[in-house]
């Protein structure tokens, strides 16, 4: 267990530490890093967390392991559910979503944390790259207590000055009141976690700001791969790597097939 | 490790009951959470706005707790119009937010969905928007049809009665929930659920599709807690007890004789320190005779 | 079984003959006559009818008897249900209500079939008689394929020129297009059945019209007890009384305790 | 006695399939009703507007049946963007009614409730109302908040796959319905439900609280009818089959080689006269290996 953590494992541990006991955790599609993170947090420090998969709600803190499912649409992943009440009522209780934490990716993300899942190109009826559409991200990011942007790669094609289309509003055109002015009640994006670094949003302008660099990543790497001017603080720490306990738990109780160790 | 124990949602009736403060907006589900309603009357909580229907609502009005009702139906198969509701509404001492089932559920849905309003067609052409100024007649922004805009109906605390739950607030109603229960649950900041029985978490997880409410804020163990009303799958209405209530309250209001009303509540509610004492007074033999089968 | 039918039994049989196989039948509260009628029709000629009680849907055509429940709120009345899907979704499929038939009473009914369940008096905050409120009648009468007004008594206090308040719109201020003009899609009230007679609504004006007098009732009885001018046709038949088969079925397979025989 | 027999809702696949006509608006539930979708492809139904998501939707697009999609998600855990959807949308040969889950369910709810629209907040501030002209930005008539008015989304026929039903159209899904199934059912004029198994009416009545759909217009007996996708409680996805599909269709579209696509559908769909023939070709041993446990 002493071989070093991969970048994806570092990302998962960063996210898991962000989660508080009692959070209700929902992960967007095709995001294995937060899929691992929510399970790890549940085991490590979250006996009152709820995992929300495919509309089922689970608390599986009592299990020896909470392995990733073979593939996302497998209904066995909700085998230990305590309720399926979200099925058919998934959006009928957004009033209670202040406890909910969401994780989302994007084709494009801009400096205010707005996200595009629609596509790339000028003509929406003939996009140059047609994306998978917005899923439930507009509604979820509008109402959840907080959410995390998680990117599978950090490049200037993804982190852009302005999204071609906005699927989910982060801090809109900037400013701590920007969501409120639009009439969007939720807490907004808290961090953006990529394979290079952790970023947050400045207090007043709500512009994306570097928080820490992952081990082995330089500031120039980040700048060269970010399509907009990132706010750079005076002191830039290295992202805290997983502890022995965290890494062992991640590998032996969650990521049994080593999905985050490959690639 | 900071916290390695899953927290229980089970509270004694008096702890959960103390969440209800005078002036709040509360909702009453079906079956009726009578144990909690008796606690509210006994503890002289007043000026409540109550969303409910039928005789359980009347009980709370007669008990002196209610300033305003949001109801679509204040009758029951036992009596055309409930006596306390009727008398206090006619006197003007009880405010009625006039509505109907679809309008009520629309307002509750709006609250659950975090919306300021929902449109509804039922009620167009009726007197409801004339009587209830909160209901706005609008034209729909797509095709110009006339509809009613119902404002969100937000609830401080919803009180429900159900069959079983585990100790973590996962509730399973027997044979479905009451018609409004899920709407009332979703529109509320907090929900307290009385249950006939608390079961293991494993039992809940063996049939998660039967879970009607997850994350109830408080579970109160309250066997026979809907008495004198029914609890689906457990017991039927206590017709005799309900007849006594209707007679006492109708007489008290028609005589203007407050003592009769107070006497009824002293005998059937206030003298008891707990739900268990109430059940003792009803008696096991009588309770068993009400079994649904 | 040869003793004559009571007026309530006559009313129940009149209604049962109105019902078509395949109808979905829903009865408003405290209306024992249509409660008997829907069960009788189901047994007599409705193997594809559905009875909707307390949100449950039943087809109990196979049963030897479909007795009235002891009291309305008894969940045993839905013991043979095939679904409780209406619970929590009762008004989510009004699109399918063209098959649904509803039965409703009223404190007041006017000549266009508008109904009042709110109360009597000028000041709605201090009514002289406070009614039980509108239940679901506004929504149901707005959308169902057709409905029947059923009154427990026929008097000029109930059948009034104009309701003090309208809970459910019938033909509004008259005219076959009146509902359409208001934007109310359902088929409207078809008959009004009372202990004295059967009435319908004229084709053009949609004013209430006498159809038949129950046995032993005179035209003067009806006129004297109706608070508005009823349309009177040239020929006034007597309401067809129950056949032997209908009455036997009603008494031995539905109204086992003789609720409609008393009073 | 006019009619003393309760009518059955069970229809053979080809009878129910014939209800679907070119140009209609249909909806696809989850698990995917693949037996019916293969019937539609085989019978060259075209110009459909389809409400759906995931690879089952893509299958119908690749099969040449679809003119317009109403979808919130055209990806899957197996591939970021579905190949036929992506290619045809980029070429402009497929119209996309751009939306998201809450907007879609709001439009479906409006249809089910007989309303011309429903308001929704999710999507405010996004590009959705810019791209989709049917979505109107409105101010709510109560407090003036900015919301999106979603028009009713009415469906001609909804196609679903479920676990069991009786012969009278009472359907019980195993472990709850797919997320949108109930919305799609309520918004449709007619619903056809494929089921793994038809059971006795008595079995349905022994647990009516599990009935998810009553009055399905047609029941089609279709064991393994969701293959190559999962059916909750019965079998898991056929990953190998899905990989083959993705490879064939992705290659066909990137080459602009229609023959490859036609070859795929000839082999896996068009050569069969019935669902039973399709299952024979897949083979019993392979089907059994997919059992969910």
């Amino acid at each position: 267990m002493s071989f070093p953590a991969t970048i994806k494992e570092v990302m998962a541990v960063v996210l898991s530490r962000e989660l508080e006991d009692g959070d209700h955790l929902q992960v967007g599609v095709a995001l294995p890093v937060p899929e691992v993170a929510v399970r790890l947090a549940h085991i490590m420090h979250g006996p009152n967390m709820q995992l929300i998969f495919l509309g089922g709600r689970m608390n599986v803190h009592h299990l020896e392991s909470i392995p990733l499912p073979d593939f996302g649409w497998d209904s066995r992943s909700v085998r230990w559910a305590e309720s399926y009440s979200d099925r058919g009522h998934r959006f009928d209780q957004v009033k209670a979503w202040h406890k909910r934490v969401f994780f989302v990716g994007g084709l494009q993300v801009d400096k205010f944390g707005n996200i595009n899942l629609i596509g790339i190109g000028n003509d929406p009826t003939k996009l140059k790259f047609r994306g998978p559409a917005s899923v439930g991200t507009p509604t979820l990011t509008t109402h959840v207590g907080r959410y995390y942007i998680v990117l599978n790669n950090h490049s200037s094609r993804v982190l852009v000055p302005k999204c071609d289309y906005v699927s989910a509003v982060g801090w809109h055109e900037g400013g701590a009141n920007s969501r409120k002015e639009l009439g969007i009640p939720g807490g907004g994006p808290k961090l953006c976690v990529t394979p290079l670094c952790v970023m947050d949003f400045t207090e007043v302008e709500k512009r994306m700001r570097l928080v820490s660099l992952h081990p082995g990543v330089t500031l120039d790497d980040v700048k060269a791969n970010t399509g907009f001017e990132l706010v750079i603080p005076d002191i830039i720490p290295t992202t805290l790597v997983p502890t022995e306990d965290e890494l062992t738990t991640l590998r032996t109780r969650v990521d049994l097939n080593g999905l985050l160790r490959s690639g | 490790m900071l916290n390695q124990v899953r927290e229980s949602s089970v509270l004694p009736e008096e702890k959960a009951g103390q969440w209800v403060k005078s002036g709040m907006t509360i909702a009453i589900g079906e079956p009726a959470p009578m144990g909690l309603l008796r606690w509210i009357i006994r503890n002289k909580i007043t000026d409540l706005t109550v969303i409910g229907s039928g005789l359980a609502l009347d009980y709370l009005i007669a008990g002196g707790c209610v300033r305003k009702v949001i109801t679509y139906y204040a009758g029951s198969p036992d009596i055309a119009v409930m006596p306390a509701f009727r008398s206090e509404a006619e006197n003007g001492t009880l405010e009625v937010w006039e509505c109907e089932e679809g309008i009520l559920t629309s307002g509750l849905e709006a609250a659950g969905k975090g919306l300021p309003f929902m449109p509804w067609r039922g009620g167009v052409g009726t007197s409801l928007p004339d009587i209830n100024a909160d209901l706005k007649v609008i034209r729909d922004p797509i095709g110009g049809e006339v509809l009613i805009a119902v404002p969100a109906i937000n609830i401080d605390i919803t009180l429900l009665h159900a069959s079983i739950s585990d100790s973590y607030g996962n509730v399973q109603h027997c044979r479905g929930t009451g018609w409004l229960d899920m709407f009332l649950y979703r529109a509320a900041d907090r929900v307290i659920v009385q249950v006939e029985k608390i079961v293991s978490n494993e039992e809940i997880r063996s049939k998660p599709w039967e879970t009607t409410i997850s994350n109830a804020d408080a579970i109160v163990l309250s066997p026979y807690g809907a008495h004198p009303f029914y609890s689906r799958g457990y017991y039927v209405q206590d017709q005799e007890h309900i007849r006594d209530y209707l007679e006492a309250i109708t007489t008290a209001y028609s005589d203007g004789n407050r003592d009769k009303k107070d006497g009824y509540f002293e005998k059937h509610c206030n003298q008891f320190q707990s739900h268990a004492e109430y059940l003792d007074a009803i008696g096991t033999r009588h309770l068993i005779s009400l079994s649904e089968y």
Side-chain angles (χ1 to χ4, degrees), chain A residues 10 18 32 46 48 87 126 142 144 151 155 162 175 224 229 234 258:
Chain A
V10 169
E18 278 283 320
N48 295 290
R87 291 200 175 278
K126 278 190 162 188
T142 290
V144 292
L151 299 177
S155 85
K162 193 170 160 52
E229 195 190 342
D234 294 338

Side-chain angles (χ1 to χ4, degrees), chain B:
Chain B
M1 303 299 147
L2 297 167
N3 185 352
Q4 289 298 358
V5 179
R6 190 171 181 188
E7 285 161 26
S8 169
S9 307
V10 179
L11 285 184
E13 183 179 84
E14 60 274 21
K15 289 269 184 197
Q18 282 166 19
W19 293 1
V20 180
K21 308 288 186 200
S22 292
M24 275 188 171
T25 296
I26 69 165
I28 305 172
E30 178 226 323
M34 293 306 293
L36 287 164
L37 299 194
R38 281 185 285 265
W39 191 93
I40 288 170
I41 293 170
R42 201 156 59 228
N43 285 277
K44 307 202 181 331
I45 311 296
T46 59
D47 295 304
L48 296 172
T49 294
V50 183
I51 301 163
S53 67
L55 284 172
L57 171 60
D58 205 53
Y59 198 84
L60 212 49
I61 297 169
C65 306
V66 185
R67 190 185 64 75
K68 178 180 173 182
V69 293
I70 296 179
T71 188
Y72 62 93
Y73 180 47
S76 92
D78 305 292
I79 189 165
V81 188
M82 309 182 313
F85 167 84
R86 180 182 162 187
S87 177
E88 299 217 5
E90 288 174 359
N91 292 340
T93 51
L94 180 72
E95 188 183 338
V96 180
W97 198 85
E98 198 79 40
C99 63
E100 62 99 43
E101 290 184 62
I103 289 176
L104 177 55
T105 53
S106 295
L108 295 170
E109 275 189 56
K113 289 175 168 175
L115 291 168
F117 85 106
M118 291 270 275
W120 193 246
R121 200 188 298 271
V124 168
T126 72
S127 306
L128 292 173
D130 304 330
I131 299 177
N132 183 339
D134 290 341
L135 305 175
K136 307 269 185 230
V137 177
I138 60 165
R139 289 205 171 258
D140 95 75
I142 311 276
E145 295 179 33
V146 175
L147 299 170
I148 290 176
V150 185
I153 300 171
N154 285 287
I155 301 167
D156 292 311
I157 303 183
T158 285
L159 311 176
L160 303 177
H161 182 88
S163 320
I164 62 169
S165 78
D166 65 11
S167 60
Y168 305 121
N170 293 302
V171 177
Q172 297 185 337
H173 283 74
C174 177
R175 303 189 196 169
T177 64
W179 149 228
L180 287 181
D181 285 15
M182 299 305 287
F183 294 89
L184 299 172
Y185 156 57
R186 295 188 196 115
D189 288 338
R190 287 195 286 187
V191 61
I192 305 174
V193 186
Q194 289 188 179
V195 293
E196 295 288 343
K197 193 165 185 291
I198 297 177
V199 302
S200 70
N201 177 248
E202 286 74 10
E203 182 170 335
I204 296 295
R205 276 194 277 103
S206 72
K207 46 188 167 93
W209 48 86
E210 291 193 18
T211 300
T212 43
I213 291 175
S214 44
N215 309 314
D217 299 278
I219 296 294
V220 175
L221 180 58
S222 190
Y224 285 100
H227 183 271
F229 303 107
Y230 73 88
S231 175
R232 258 186 296 278
Y234 288 80
Y235 42 91
V236 298
Q237 286 200 146
D238 188 340
Q239 287 296 81
E240 201 183 320
H241 195 106
I242 289 169
R243 232 179 344 255
D244 288 352
Y245 166 81
L246 286 173
E247 197 179 300
I249 301 304
T250 305
T251 316
Y253 276 106
S254 62
D255 292 0
N257 186 341
R258 229 203 120 75
D259 288 350
K260 280 193 187 155
K261 193 161 74 98
D262 291 348
Y264 176 86
F265 282 103
E266 183 55 31
K267 181 175 169 200
H268 292 289
C269 175
N270 295 342
Q271 68 161 314
F272 307 115
Q273 292 299 307
S274 67
H275 177 59
E277 282 185 24
Y278 173 84
L279 293 185
D280 278 344
I282 301 293
T284 304
R285 176 187 293 267
H286 187 67
L287 290 173
I288 290 175
S289 76
L290 298 171
S291 295
E292 177 189 323
Y293 57 84

Side-chain angles (χ1 to χ4, degrees), chain A residues 213-224:
Chain A
L213 294 165
H214 297 336
V217 176
T218 68
L219 180 57
D220 283 347
D221 292 336
V222 169
K223 283 184 172 173

Side-chain angles (χ1 to χ4, degrees), chain A residues 157-253:
Chain A
R157 289 201 321 187
V158 176
L159 290 147
V160 295
K162 193 170 160 52
C163 293
D164 287 6
Y165 304 94
V166 174
S167 289
V169 181
W171 297 107
H172 195 47
E173 295 175 1
N177 276 324
S178 58
R179 290 176 64 88
K180 204 173 168 186
E181 280 160 13
L182 270 180
I184 298 178
K190 195 175 167 206
L191 299 181
C192 177
V193 179
T194 77
L196 297 186
C197 62
V198 176
M199 294 167 286
D200 68 356
F201 298 87
T202 58
E203 287 70 21
V204 176
E205 279 189 288
K206 291 295 181 187
R207 272 180 59 204
M208 211 182 278
R209 169 174 65 190
L210 188 62
V211 169
S212 67
L213 294 165
H214 297 336
V217 176
T218 68
L219 180 57
D220 283 347
D221 292 336
V222 169
K223 283 184 172 173
N225 289 288
T226 304
F228 53 81
E229 195 190 342
L230 206 56
V231 178
I232 309 291
D234 294 338
I235 299 163
I236 309 171
T238 300
T239 306
L240 284 176
V241 295
T243 64
E244 182 76 22
D245 188 24
E246 284 168 328
L247 198 58
T248 305
T249 306
L250 187 156
R251 290 178 177 176
T252 63
R253 298 177 66 185

Side-chain angles (χ1 to χ4, degrees), chain A:
Chain A
M1 280 306 144
S2 58
F3 46 92
T6 65
I7 286 297
K8 286 180 185 168
E9 288 173 332
V10 169
M11 290 169 71
V13 168
V14 163
L15 289 169
S16 80
R17 289 172 183 162
E18 278 283 320
L19 306 179
E20 290 169 24
D21 194 25
D23 283 344
H24 296 179
L25 303 166
Q26 183 170 359
V27 179
V29 288
L31 291 171
V33 164
E35 285 286 1
V36 168
V38 298
R39 289 168 170 83
L40 178 62
H42 190 33
I43 290 176
M44 295 291 294
H45 64 271
N48 295 290
M49 287 176 179
Q50 291 197 347
L51 308 185
I52 300 171
F53 298 135
L54 302 175
R57 282 169 182 266
M58 306 194 300
N59 180 308
V60 285
H61 186 64
H62 62 290
L63 294 182
E64 176 54 31
S65 67
I66 317 176
L68 288 183
D70 284 350
F71 31 88
W73 272 193
D74 191 330
S75 71
R76 289 176 296 186
S77 63
V78 290
R79 182 158 282 174
W80 294 96
E82 292 175 340
S83 89
Y84 297 155
S85 57
D86 275 354
R87 291 200 175 278
H89 307 295
R90 202 181 278 189
F91 289 173
D92 274 0
Q93 206 187 11
V94 298
K95 188 180 177 119
W97 284 10
H98 55 89
K99 283 184 188 170
R100 194 171 292 205
V101 180
F102 184 57
F103 302 85
V104 63
L107 304 174
Q108 294 179 322
V109 180
D110 72 19
K111 63 176 176 290
F112 297 119
N114 302 301
I115 288 163
N116 175 12
L117 286 163
I118 294 168
I120 314 289
N122 295 326
D123 179 355
T125 67
K126 278 190 162 188
L127 292 165
K128 280 190 290 186
F129 176 76
R130 171 67 232 194
S134 303
V135 205
T137 64
T139 293
L140 280 152
T141 59
T142 290
H143 291 285
V144 292
R146 66 187 192 281
Y147 63 94
Y148 296 90
I149 301 167
V150 184
L151 299 177
N152 297 326
N153 67 83
H154 187 136
S155 85
S156 52
R157 289 201 321 187
V158 176
L159 290 147
V160 295
K162 193 170 160 52
C163 293
D164 287 6
Y165 304 94
V166 174
S167 289
V169 181
W171 297 107
H172 195 47
E173 295 175 1
N177 276 324
S178 58
R179 290 176 64 88
K180 204 173 168 186
E181 280 160 13
L182 270 180
I184 298 178
K190 195 175 167 206
L191 299 181
C192 177
V193 179
T194 77
L196 297 186
C197 62
V198 176
M199 294 167 286
D200 68 356
F201 298 87
T202 58
E203 287 70 21
V204 176
E205 279 189 288
K206 291 295 181 187
R207 272 180 59 204
M208 211 182 278
R209 169 174 65 190
L210 188 62
V211 169
S212 67
L213 294 165
H214 297 336
V217 176
T218 68
L219 180 57
D220 283 347
D221 292 336
V222 169
K223 283 184 172 173
N225 289 288
T226 304
F228 53 81
E229 195 190 342
L230 206 56
V231 178
I232 309 291
D234 294 338
I235 299 163
I236 309 171
T238 300
T239 306
L240 284 176
V241 295
T243 64
E244 182 76 22
D245 188 24
E246 284 168 328
L247 198 58
T248 305
T249 306
L250 187 156
R251 290 178 177 176
T252 63
R253 298 177 66 185
V254 178
D255 185 19
L256 303 189
N257 296 327
L259 192 64
L260 302 197
R261 263 170 286 169
S262 66

